[in-house]
Amino acid sequence: MFFERLLHSYYTAKVGVVSYFVSQRTQDIALRMALGATPMSIWRYVAARGLAPLVAGVVFGIALSMSTARLLESQLYRVSATDPYTIGATAALLLLVSIVAMYAPAVAVLHLRLQ
């Protein structure tokens, strides 16, 4: 239950941050579209800005978890604090939630009407 709420709050925050970025860059994105940018290049532009903090956070989180492995070891049941599968699965889950969260703002900006 706690993990689901944590993922939901992460998703909500990610949608908010990416939506704010898109709203601040709407003119820039509209100009790119007017000059012939493809929808895939706009998606890459939004995704690059949305995934950069995630990558930094995952790298920092892995480094922090490795450095505090001894403290975490007593709190874990049947899994090592440095288990690569658990760390990889967590990073992959955060990546998946981030991509899903970036989808709605990216689609919204792709439906801009250029005047």
Side-chain angles (χ1 to χ4, degrees):
M1 188 70 157
F2 174 74
F3 188 68
E4 293 161 353
R5 287 185 181 174
L6 188 66
L7 269 181
H8 185 264
S9 64
Y10 175 75
Y11 172 81
T12 305
K14 192 67 171 180
V15 167
V17 167
V18 174
S19 294
Y20 179 75
F21 162 75
V22 167
S23 71
Q24 294 294 311
R25 298 288 181 187
T26 301
Q27 291 179 343
D28 179 38
I29 294 170
L31 180 64
R32 289 172 184 255
M33 290 171 61
L35 293 175
T38 63
M40 185 55 84
S41 67
I42 299 297
W43 167 249
R44 280 194 299 259
Y45 178 70
V46 172
R49 300 310 184 272
L51 290 179
L54 171 73
V55 171
V58 166
V59 169
F60 180 73
I62 290 173
L64 189 64
S65 71
M66 293 297 175
S67 65
T68 60
R70 285 190 186 171
L71 297 173
L72 293 173
E73 203 72 53
S74 65
Q75 302 294 319
L76 300 173
Y77 179 70
R78 289 191 175 180
V79 70
S80 168
T82 57
D83 182 31
Y85 295 116
T86 304
I87 293 172
T90 304
L93 183 63
L94 287 176
L95 177 67
L96 178 68
V97 170
S98 292
I99 290 172
V100 170
M102 286 185 293
Y103 181 75
V107 167
V109 79
L110 287 176
H111 292 296
L112 287 175
R113 289 189 162 211
L114 302 177
Q115 297 178 5

